[in-house]
Amino acid sequence: MTSLGTSGRRAAKTSFACTECGHETVRWEGRCAGCGAWDSLREWTEPVDRAMPPAYTAATPVALDQLVIGEERLSLGVPEFDRVLGGGLVPGSLVLIGGDPGIGKSTLVLQAAGSAAAQAPVLYVSAEESAAQVKMRAERLDLGDAKLLVLAETSLEAALRQADEIAPCLLVVDSVQTVFSEAAGTSAGSISQVRECAGMLMRWAKASGVPVVLTGHVTKDGDIAGPRMLEHVVDVVLYLEGERFSSYRLLRAVKNRFGSVDEIGVFEMTGSGLRGVENPSEAFIAERAAEPVGSVIVPVMEGTRPVLVEIQALTSPTVTPAPRRTANGLDSNRLTLVTAVLSRRLGVPLAGLDVIANVVGGLRVHEPAADLGLALAVCSSHRDEALPTNLVALGEVGLSGELRSVSHLERRLMEAERLGFERCLLPESTLHRQRPKTSIELVVAPDLRRALAIAFA
Ligand code: TYD
Ligand code: MG
């Protein structure tokens, strides 16, 4: 436990912290009590000789109606990025961008730094790459702005001294696992370093009013402290996601003190950096086959935004004793549920077949509203028969084969209509609650059996 010695310095504290969620315990446990992750606790010792934090500066209370909201948000000049932030960066905020290594975090922040530098100086602290490497990347991204200052530095204190001098309009630190602070004695990337650095950047951002963007790798093996630990420290947490071999990237907010977490940004990784995709639905269904056996289009909601995705399924005779159910981009539990309902309630003989389901374009769909589309895709592959190409499907499948209603119906239908679809198959119950204004023909079914009969009529 933390105790104060007579010298006013803290005694050493050894505890265990979870690399996934930051939960702390005094004893090592196989499973984190905070998030349930296995083998994620690592020992860490807070440095013995850390001086007490400075005394708090005296702030005076202000009546709420007297408070004025400060300057405007800083636009990053990357519209998809700005939108996910809720309209740009709030002065003095600390934003964390997490994601798998190689997903494009450095590319995204360098692009944003480059466009923000058109307005005022931006300091880009690269602790991972040399200045020359950053320059090479900047050339690929076609950034040549003189106001973008690159500092290859791993000491956070040194970087902040520079930042104090330059007074930039934006500070970027790439990445939280590679910078280190002299205040925390351990090596860069350790739990205490990551926390200390994030804390220092937070204090600097608040004191200077300059927004700070920080990147961090997500680690599955838990060797280095990941961004999950910092989620409660920073103001905004965004994740850049995507399938490894797909060029699409999604920027998603999981925490935002200054806006909603419903917005997503869609990008495509190109030879010259990340390009915002203005029309994601069009992009995701662009390569659909003319005779799409085993494929169904589903309007899913990504936050408040409807996006059309193509769900594909393939059934094939199994060669293993237990048939496999493989879901890429879909919740595997939903696939298990849908195939179980198809075999038990509708007698579709899937027992000896492997079922593979896939969302095209690397998007991840977790909505139960995609169940009906998934079931139709599986049946389409099983029957080797394509569904009408002008059809979209929506609905959650229940365990007895009933179809349950979905939310945001009108927005989904508008998006399908915009892309030229003419019919939507959906649960009967949905229309009891709402009568959407749409020119799409609405075909309703009470259960999966009826839905299949209509779709393959
Ligand atoms: P990077 O931004 O370095 O990823 P992170 O910082 O998240 O680790 O992106 C690395 C990948 O992006 C790399 O595989 C190369 C690719 N890339 C492009 O395809 N086009 C580009 O213009 C750039 C700069 C990178
Ligand atoms: Mg990087």
Side-chain angles (χ1 to χ4, degrees):
M1 285 281 108
T2 307
S3 60
L4 283 176
T6 43
S7 64
R9 286 173 181 253
R10 276 201 266 185
K13 171 185 156 183
T14 299
S15 61
F16 294 86
C18 172
T19 51
E20 296 289 318
C21 71
H23 176 80
E24 272 181 53
T25 65
V26 285
R27 233 172 288 112
W28 187 84
E29 282 156 19
R31 188 175 193 196
C32 171
C35 66
W38 289 97
D39 194 24
S40 63
L41 296 181
R42 296 286 177 278
E43 185 174 353
W44 74 294
T45 310
E46 217 175 292
V48 188
D49 245 350
R50 210 163 80 174
M52 287 294 288
Y56 292 105
T57 48
T60 41
V62 187
L64 195 59
D65 60 353
Q66 301 290 305
L67 270 174
V68 272
I69 298 170
E71 309 121 80
E72 294 200 348
R73 290 175 183 246
L74 172 73
S75 162
L76 289 173
V78 180
E80 295 286 305
F81 198 169
D82 281 339
R83 198 158 40 112
V84 177
L85 287 168
L89 285 169
V90 169
S93 61
L94 178 58
V95 177
L96 174 69
I97 300 184
D100 292 333
I103 199 77
K105 300 179 295 298
S106 301
T107 307
L108 179 66
V109 292
L110 186 59
Q111 271 178 268
S115 3
Q119 307 164 33
V122 171
L123 182 60
Y124 182 96
V125 178
S126 173
E128 242 167 42
E129 290 158 352
S130 68
Q133 282 169 315
V134 175
K135 170 76 183 162
M136 270 157 56
R137 189 194 297 263
E139 272 176 1
R140 266 181 94 171
L141 304 175
D142 213 10
L143 304 173
D145 209 287
K147 288 206 198 101
L148 177 55
L149 303 164
V150 179
L151 177 67
E153 177 62 80
T154 51
S155 157
L156 193 56
E157 278 86 358
L160 290 182
R161 269 196 297 278
Q162 292 285 343
D164 279 333
E165 233 162 76
I166 297 162
C169 72
L170 168 67
L171 172 67
V172 176
V173 178
D174 186 15
S175 67
V176 70
Q177 281 111 349
T178 46
V179 287
F180 75 93
S181 154
E182 283 138 32
T186 53
S187 60
S190 66
I191 295 171
S192 45
Q193 275 291 354
V194 165
R195 282 195 185 170
E196 180 65 32
C197 291
M200 243 170 107
L201 285 168
M202 190 68 166
R203 290 190 292 276
W204 187 84
K206 295 287 172 271
S208 65
V210 175
V212 177
V213 175
L214 183 64
T215 68
H217 308 306
V218 176
T219 51
K220 291 205 177 62
D221 52 53
D223 270 347
I224 359 176
R228 298 281 311 267
M229 290 191 44
L230 298 179
E231 278 179 9
H232 53 281
V233 179
V234 303
D235 295 314
V236 179
V237 182
L238 309 179
Y239 279 99
L240 190 61
E241 311 172 340
E243 291 294 321
R244 197 130 167 241
F245 300 105
S246 154
S247 59
Y248 292 108
R249 300 283 181 268
L250 242 69
L251 188 64
R252 198 191 289 280
V254 296
K255 166 179 175 178
N256 192 348
R257 284 189 179 145
F258 317 110
S260 88
V261 290
D262 284 339
E263 290 296 345
I264 58 155
V266 184
F267 296 94
E268 187 176 7
M269 182 62 96
T270 68
S272 52
L274 288 161
R275 196 176 50 81
V277 177
E278 274 165 34
N279 201 337
S281 298
E282 210 163 85
F284 288 129
I285 62 173
E287 290 171 44
R288 197 178 189 209
E291 187 67 1
V293 174
S295 148
V296 175
I297 303 293
V298 180
V300 298
M301 293 303 290
E302 277 294 350
T304 54
R305 218 172 164 190
V307 178
L308 296 195
V309 295
E310 179 183 353
I311 294 183
Q312 292 183 330
L314 183 66
T315 56
S316 77
T318 186
V319 289
T320 55
R324 280 180 302 178
R325 305 283 178 255
T326 311
N328 298 316
L330 286 156
D331 185 350
S332 55
N333 291 328
R334 299 309 301 179
L335 176 62
T336 312
L337 184 147
V338 164
T339 50
V341 171
L342 283 173
S343 19
R344 272 301 305 280
R345 305 283 175 209
L346 283 82
V348 182
L350 295 173
L353 301 174
D354 286 338
V355 180
I356 304 160
N358 184 32
V359 177
V360 178
L363 211 72
R364 284 174 213 168
V365 176
H366 293 297
E367 271 196 297
D371 287 354
L372 177 58
L374 179 58
L376 290 175
V378 172
C379 289
S380 163
S381 170
H382 182 250
R383 301 163 68 125
D384 214 5
E385 187 181 336
L387 287 152
T389 50
N390 63 357
L391 181 84
V392 295
L394 269 175
E396 177 178 347
V397 173
L399 286 184
S400 49
E402 81 279 18
L403 291 183
R404 295 167 179 272
S405 60
V406 298
S407 58
H408 304 293
L409 183 61
E410 198 160 289
R411 254 181 270 173
R412 299 181 201 248
L413 292 173
M414 266 163 64
E415 183 71 358
E417 191 179 326
R418 197 173 67 78
L419 282 135
F421 289 88
E422 288 155 355
R423 294 170 76 205
C424 179
L425 188 55
L426 73 169
E428 204 167 34
S429 55
T430 303
L431 299 187
H432 296 163
R433 296 191 312 184
Q434 45 192 331
R435 272 276 155 199
K437 286 191 270 320
T438 176
S439 64
I440 286 199
E441 184 194 347
L442 301 177
V443 189
V444 295
D447 53 35
L448 193 51
R449 186 182 297 278
R450 280 291 300 149
L452 288 175
I454 295 168
F456 293 102

